[in-house]
């Protein structure tokens, strides 16, 4: 059994497949397969010009609203939110550094539907291109093999794009509850939370970063986009977060975390900004090289032309 086959990912490494689809041209398919690399393109070329406009102060107001709504329910969850907001205030200078570091944002746009006529017409040269099945959970295999835990996962965010105010609030609440449960039930995460004073602001920022990067106007709801997101500043940000833990972790553990993260960046070939010409317009992009896990476990299927 090959290490990079879908069945190996699922049965041996315990990572179930999550198949999404990328619509593109025949030429782009050739380049993707030849180089074992996808392109993360600049979101400045997005069809929604209001993307990435959620400010940190507006986000905190949403978090307080979620806390208020849950006051009569889960007291522990409300206290957790209070600790996050308190951490954001106590480490406001660190938050300011992170906000100033924000630069351009890049993404690989996918969709959950295998044969989507809207995407065939818009992104696959009016149906003459291809639809590439992409197992996005293969990235979990990559992160686990690199022994990266939460630091690798936070570099490349992924998930469904949310459309409109209500969906944005629901998504923020869901992510906050995820971290609340993780710090309650995962022993390693619990120790980090108890021993590391900065985890409050770090968690608050991580949820903000995710919410900001996946929100679009409700008028684009029909796209049903699933996004693989990357912001160049996240490399520096993650290194900063890792470094902030140096007083709480052993030197050996710090050395290992730093080494594995740097190896991860190097093998992905993601750090360098590249440029290409698209319809008489120069656009920037970053590579996502998946050579370490490339195979049927990453791309289980390629569809040529619409079948509907």
């Amino acid at each position: 059994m090959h290490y990079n086959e879908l069945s190996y990912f699922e049965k041996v490494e315990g990572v179930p497949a999550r198949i999404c689809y990328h619509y593109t041209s025949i030429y782009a398919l050739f380049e993707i397969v030849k180089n074992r690399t996808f392109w993360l393109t600049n979101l400045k070329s997005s069809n929604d010009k209001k993307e990435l406009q959620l400010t940190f102060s507006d986000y905190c107001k949403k978090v307080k609203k979620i806390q208020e709504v849950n006051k009569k329910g889960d007291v522990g969850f409300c206290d957790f939110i209070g600790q996050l907001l308190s951490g954001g205030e106590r480490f406001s200078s660190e938050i300011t550094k992170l906000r100033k570091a924000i630069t351009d944002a890049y993404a690989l746009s996918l969709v959950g539907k295998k044969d989507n006529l809207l995407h065939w017409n818009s992104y696959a040269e009016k149906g003459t291109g291809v639809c590439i099945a992409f197992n996005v959970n293969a990235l979990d295999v990559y992160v686990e093999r690199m022994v990266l835990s939460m630091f690798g996962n936070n570099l490349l965010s992924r998930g469904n794009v949310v459309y409109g105010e209500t969906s944005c609030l629901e998504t923020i609440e869901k992510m906050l509850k995820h971290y609340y449960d993780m710090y309650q039930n995962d022993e390693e995460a619990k120790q980090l939370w108890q021993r590391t004073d900065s985890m409050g602001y770090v968690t608050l920022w991580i949820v903000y970063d995710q919410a900001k990067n996946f929100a679009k106007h409700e008028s684009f709801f029909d796209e049903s986009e699933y996004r693989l997101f990357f912001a160049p500043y996240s490399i520096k940000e993650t290194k900063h977060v890792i470094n902030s833990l140096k007083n709480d972790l052993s030197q050996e553990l710090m050395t290992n975390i730093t080494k594995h993260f740097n190896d991860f960046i190097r093998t992905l070939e993601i750090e360098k900004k590249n440029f290409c010409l698209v319809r008489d317009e120069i656009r920037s992009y970053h590579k996502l090289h998946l050579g370490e896990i490339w195979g049927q476990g990453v791309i289980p299927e390629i569809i040529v032309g619409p079948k509907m």
Side-chain angles (χ1 to χ4, degrees):
M1 184 182 294
H2 194 276
Y3 290 126
N4 291 339
E5 289 184 357
L6 193 63
S7 58
Y8 190 90
F9 288 175
E10 294 185 319
K11 295 176 182 178
V12 179
E13 306 210 34
V15 179
R18 169 68 190 272
I19 308 299
C20 291
Y21 299 89
H22 180 60
Y23 292 77
T24 190
S25 67
I26 293 286
Y27 173 76
L29 169 67
F30 174 76
E31 291 297 313
I32 288 169
V33 174
K34 181 182 73 172
N35 299 306
R36 302 182 175 186
T37 300
F38 284 93
W39 284 10
L40 305 166
T41 54
N42 198 318
L43 284 177
K44 283 183 177 179
S45 59
S46 169
N47 50 10
D48 182 1
K49 300 306 178 186
K50 293 184 179 180
E51 281 208 62
L52 311 177
Q53 295 301 308
L54 177 63
T55 66
F56 186 75
S57 59
D58 286 342
Y59 158 72
C60 287
K61 290 176 184 177
K62 294 182 191 297
V63 173
K64 289 175 183 176
K65 185 175 181 179
I66 292 168
Q67 183 185 36
E68 188 66 30
V69 169
N70 282 275
K71 269 187 176 178
K72 295 181 180 180
D74 192 335
V75 177
F77 178 54
C78 288
D79 289 344
F80 172 71
I81 292 177
Q83 291 177 66
L84 298 188
L85 292 169
S86 176
E89 291 173 359
R90 286 187 293 110
F91 289 89
S92 59
S93 60
E94 296 298 320
I95 293 288
T96 300
K97 290 177 184 177
L98 292 171
R99 289 165 65 184
K100 287 181 178 179
I102 293 176
T103 54
D104 289 347
Y106 296 79
L108 174 66
S109 293
L110 306 159
V111 65
K113 296 180 180 178
K114 183 175 182 177
D115 208 15
N116 186 304
L117 190 58
L118 173 64
H119 286 263
W120 276 119
N121 288 330
S122 300
Y123 304 107
E125 301 196 337
K126 301 188 183 300
T128 63
V130 296
C131 171
I132 304 172
F134 178 30
N135 177 20
V136 294
N137 282 357
L139 292 167
D140 290 334
V141 174
Y142 205 169
V143 168
E144 288 298 321
R145 289 181 182 180
M146 297 295 289
V147 199
L148 278 165
S149 185
M150 63 183 294
F151 301 111
N153 284 324
N154 291 332
L155 179 68
L156 282 162
S157 304
R158 62 187 190 272
N160 293 309
V161 169
V162 296
Y163 303 89
E165 175 72 13
T166 302
S167 294
C168 186
L169 273 171
E170 291 173 351
T171 300
I172 291 172
E173 183 173 359
K174 183 179 179 181
M175 286 190 287
L176 289 171
K177 285 184 175 178
H178 164 76
Y179 281 102
Y180 173 63
D181 290 340
M182 184 177 74
Y183 291 135
Q184 291 285 315
N185 302 314
D186 184 282
E187 197 58 40
E188 183 180 347
K190 186 189 294 185
Q191 289 182 24
L192 265 178
W193 176 260
Q194 293 172 346
R195 294 166 50 194
T196 311
D197 194 37
S198 60
M199 285 308 294
Y201 97 82
V202 169
T203 305
L204 186 68
W205 178 266
I206 288 172
V207 175
Y208 165 66
D209 211 31
Q210 183 87 354
K212 170 178 65 68
N213 299 335
F214 289 83
K216 289 188 78 169
H217 193 272
E218 59 189 3
S219 61
F220 294 97
F221 177 79
D222 287 345
E223 288 186 341
S224 303
E225 182 183 352
Y226 185 94
R227 176 176 292 175
L228 183 63
F229 179 91
F230 168 68
Y233 74 85
S234 64
I235 296 177
K236 183 177 180 180
E237 172 191 306
T238 304
K239 288 180 179 179
H240 177 76
V241 169
I242 291 172
N243 188 59
S244 71
L245 303 175
K246 64 183 178 182
N247 294 327
D248 302 287
L249 303 178
S250 68
Q251 184 176 352
E252 182 182 4
L253 182 56
M254 279 293 298
T255 300
N256 286 335
I257 291 174
T258 303
K259 179 185 182 302
H260 288 308
F261 183 74
N262 289 335
D263 288 345
F264 188 52
I265 298 301
R266 177 181 53 79
T267 56
L268 284 176
E269 299 180 9
I270 200 171
E271 192 163 15
K272 181 183 175 183
K273 181 192 287 189
N274 303 279
F275 296 91
C276 63
L277 186 65
V278 179
R279 290 188 290 274
D280 299 324
E281 178 186 356
I282 296 176
R283 294 183 184 177
S284 59
Y285 70 93
H286 284 256
K287 293 180 181 180
L288 179 65
H289 179 67
L290 300 175
E292 297 291 323
I293 54 170
W294 193 262
Q296 186 255 354
V298 176
I299 299 182
E301 184 182 14
I302 297 171
I303 303 102
V304 180
K307 307 301 179 186
M308 57 178 57

